[in-house]
Amino acid sequence: MNHAEQRSLAVLDAKMTATTRKRPKVPSAIFMLGPAFVAAIAYVDPGNVAANLTSGAKYGYLLVWVLVAANIMAMLIQYQSAKLGVVTGKSLPELLGERFGTAGRRAYWLQAELVAMATDLAEVVGGAIALNLLFHVPLPVAGLIVGLVSMAMLMVQNRRGQRTFESLIIFLLAIITIGFLAGLVLSPPDPAGVAGGLLPRFDGSDSVLLAASMLGATVMPHAIYLHSALARDRHTTARDTPELLHATVKATRWDVVAALLLAGAVNIGMLLLAASTLGGVEGTDSIEGAHAAIVATLGPVIGVVFAVGLLASGLASTSVGCYAGATIMGGLLKIKLPLLTRRVVSLIPALALLTFGVDATWALVISQVVLSFGIPFALIPLLRLTSNKALMGIHRDGVPLRIAALVSVALVVALNAVLLYLTLTGS
């Protein structure tokens, strides 16, 4: 080979190397999973426990259909949120902050912050109840312990990064799954009852209130805001090439389906356990009473496993909720409040509630109703943004997805309107 040929080969090799550098290798889909499992923690928090156990104990299998419909909606919504973050490189709060004026941003932040506070209250209270059940720790002290442990978890996120935080959350999610589904092995549900519960219907205003709380606990506004940021931060190179972006959006879809199927199974399993075990038992309108009934019916081992699952739920969800609150504030107000500072401030309402002896389970259910009213404020802007061709390009929502999203929004608004009417009229 002469000198000219060698030089030509060197030039060709340089061009091929440059092309390779410009087109990063698409990673395996399994290594792109994770953000949805963090967001899914919001769907198995202590508020879910209170709403689902109360529903199953009081109405049996009547409201199974609510959880099934809500979980399908959750898959759709969380996929849209994650896709928005991946495609635009911005979170939902950031995009809304760019579109609102100063007054609009502040007003929108206020309602989102109230939702985040209601979420955090439910999560700290739930973790405190679990510590009380396991170790008889007084509720105010237990709430403080939950807050301190969640601070430690947030420090992991700050110092070790999102991937390590995701691994920690997934580990806790596994404990939650075992804790809440173990009882079904000893007390399986009635197949006919489950089938009947798939027929949409109510039984008075109390069942509508519970349905709204279950919906608020399953389709979580703060998880909608957070997931876009989680996906954005995890997939920072997704927009380097069209091929990589397409692969990332596809992997995100599978991430959401896997995470929400698991969360949905836990939610439905809790209701089925209550329906098969707690129906007609006195005192099951509280988590403590439900736990006592589970111990009496299924034994102390299942009772301990359930309480450990509740503790894992409280610790994981309050950390994720604090993360979501920081995302909301940062995107809408451009204020980067340190996570640990926010953890201290947001802990105060929950500790006050526990100190003054407000019924913990009642507070959990009501907090989920507050979340339910916050859902449209997150859903409607998300739907508008993911349907925007100028913003999303070829990844804009297709017609079937837009129709499904519109139906979801309509169902949420209608359920909340019925709830408000029945509450005001005392029906």
Side-chain angles (χ1 to χ4, degrees), residues 37-288:
F37 286 86
V38 176
I41 284 292
Y43 293 83
V44 289
D45 75 350
N48 294 80
V49 180
N52 296 334
L53 290 182
T54 302
S55 173
K58 189 170 183 179
Y59 294 103
Y61 303 102
L62 178 72
L63 299 178
V64 170
W65 67 273
V66 175
L67 288 181
V68 173
N71 202 61
I72 294 172
M73 290 166 55
M75 286 186 186
L76 166 69
I77 293 160
Q78 294 302 144
Y79 168 63
Q80 287 179 302
S81 175
K83 183 175 69 169
L84 182 70
V86 168
V87 173
T88 66
K90 296 179 180 180
S91 69
L92 175 57
E94 285 176 331
L95 290 167
L96 293 176
E98 293 173 355
R99 285 159 172 76
F100 289 146
T102 302
R105 283 190 292 109
R106 289 174 179 172
Y108 194 90
W109 167 80
L110 181 60
Q111 66 79 28
E113 190 66 41
L114 289 174
V115 166
M117 288 175 61
T119 301
D120 196 60
L121 183 149
E123 292 156 351
V124 173
V125 169
I129 292 174
L131 281 175
N132 179 263
L133 293 174
L134 287 167
F135 307 110
H136 307 293
V137 180
L139 287 177
V141 177
L144 181 60
I145 293 172
V146 169
L148 292 174
V149 174
S150 67
M151 285 182 193
M153 293 175 63
L154 291 170
M155 288 177 65
V156 170
Q157 195 276 337
N158 278 339
R159 296 183 179 182
R160 303 295 297 274
Q162 185 172 329
R163 292 293 291 269
T164 303
F165 184 67
E166 285 175 5
S167 299
L168 176 60
I169 293 298
I170 291 172
F171 171 73
L172 290 174
L173 182 58
I175 295 176
I176 293 166
T177 303
I178 296 169
F180 292 151
L181 298 186
L184 288 175
V185 176
L186 298 180
S187 181
D190 173 33
V194 176
L198 296 174
L199 178 66
R201 64 194 191 281
F202 295 108
D203 183 15
S205 58
D206 283 348
S207 68
V208 179
L209 175 64
L210 270 176
S213 68
M214 291 161 66
L215 183 65
T218 307
V219 182
M220 302 287 274
H222 76 289
I224 298 172
Y225 298 121
L226 175 63
H227 201 166
S228 57
L230 290 170
R232 173 204 63 193
D233 294 342
R234 168 62 106 79
H235 305 298
T236 54
T237 62
R239 295 185 298 148
D240 286 357
T241 67
E243 294 84 0
L244 183 55
L245 181 57
H246 177 77
T248 304
V249 170
K250 184 177 180 181
T252 294
R253 186 183 306 125
W254 286 111
D255 190 25
V256 170
V257 169
L260 270 297
L261 277 177
L262 180 60
V266 172
N267 273 320
I268 294 172
M270 280 189 283
L271 187 149
L272 298 183
L273 178 64
S276 63
T277 307
L278 308 180
V281 179
E282 294 294 329
T284 53
D285 53 348
S286 70
I287 290 180
E288 297 92 336

Side-chain angles (χ1 to χ4, degrees), residues 87 385-397:
V87 173
L385 290 171
T386 55
S387 300
N388 187 330
K389 188 174 183 180
L391 182 68
M392 301 295 291
I394 62 171
H395 298 286
R396 171 195 184 191
D397 290 343

